[in-house]
Amino acid sequence: SFLQTLDMVLPAIRLDIFLDKSRPVETSNSQLEKLKSPVFKISSTKAGVNAIAVFAEGEMTVKAGSTIRNSWVGKGSWDSGYRALREQLLSNGVVCKRGDSTVFDTDFAFSSPSAAAAVVLGRASNGRIEWKLQQTGQSYADWEDDQISEVSTDP
């Protein structure tokens, strides 16, 4: 029980030294339903965002085909690291412009839900609040709290 709790808590506080970084190269959207990993989404018609991500092995993997905001709208100096990450993803082809949209061309794993949300929304974001379970609409934070509660109450 103690080890299961550590396995859940350590990645949450970004101590991922025990995690295996290997993962499938790509999983189609139809295969997402077969995974045990939860599927999260961020949708905003106003911002032109429709992103899907899977949380597994302590990483938030944004799926290929996810549409993100076309430009960076964050204004604070605290979000410059996320802006640089987004620019890097654009320059190396992970994210590309397709017509009027900006889209993930390949699956990409982020070390935190907030980094993934910032790149998707084009501003610094609290990914624990922004990402919602695709089926229920529950926030990542609430889902994570439920997972920790389940592990800590297991006999």
Side-chain angles (χ1 to χ4, degrees):
S1 173
F2 176 73
L3 292 176
Q4 287 176 330
T5 302
L6 280 179
D7 192 36
M8 177 63 72
V9 172
L10 289 178
I13 60 173
R14 307 300 168 246
L15 292 175
D16 57 1
I17 59 174
F18 301 111
L19 295 178
D20 179 12
K21 295 293 184 177
S22 63
R23 57 195 169 277
V25 173
E26 191 170 327
T27 305
S28 70
N29 288 336
S30 62
Q31 292 174 317
L32 290 177
E33 296 170 6
K34 297 177 185 174
L35 295 175
K36 291 182 181 180
S37 304
V39 178
F40 292 90
K41 69 176 181 173
I42 294 179
S43 294
S44 170
T45 309
K46 180 180 174 184
V49 171
N50 189 16
I52 302 292
V54 175
F55 183 76
E57 305 285 333
E59 296 176 321
M60 185 67 79
T61 301
V62 178
K63 304 306 287 177
S66 292
T67 306
I68 67 173
R69 183 171 289 197
N70 283 328
S71 61
W72 187 262
V73 296
K75 296 186 180 6
S77 60
W78 60 86
D79 61 0
S80 62
Y82 292 137
R83 182 178 190 166
L85 174 59
R86 181 184 164 102
E87 294 299 323
Q88 179 184 8
L89 295 176
L90 279 163
S91 69
N92 67 18
V94 171
V95 173
C96 61
K97 301 275 186 182
R98 288 197 191 139
D100 293 338
S101 300
T102 305
V103 180
F104 270 82
D105 200 37
T106 185
D107 294 357
F108 189 82
F110 292 88
S111 61
S112 74
S114 293
V119 168
V120 166
L121 293 170
R123 60 178 168 75
S125 302
N126 182 343
R128 292 175 40 83
I129 296 170
E130 300 286 356
W131 288 106
K132 309 284 187 204
L133 273 174
Q134 189 171 25
Q135 292 184 342
T136 65
Q138 181 183 33
S139 72
Y140 174 88
D142 291 340
W143 170 82
E144 186 178 47
D145 290 344
D146 288 349
Q147 299 304 302
I148 292 171
S149 294
E150 285 177 20
V151 170
S152 64
T153 59
D154 283 345

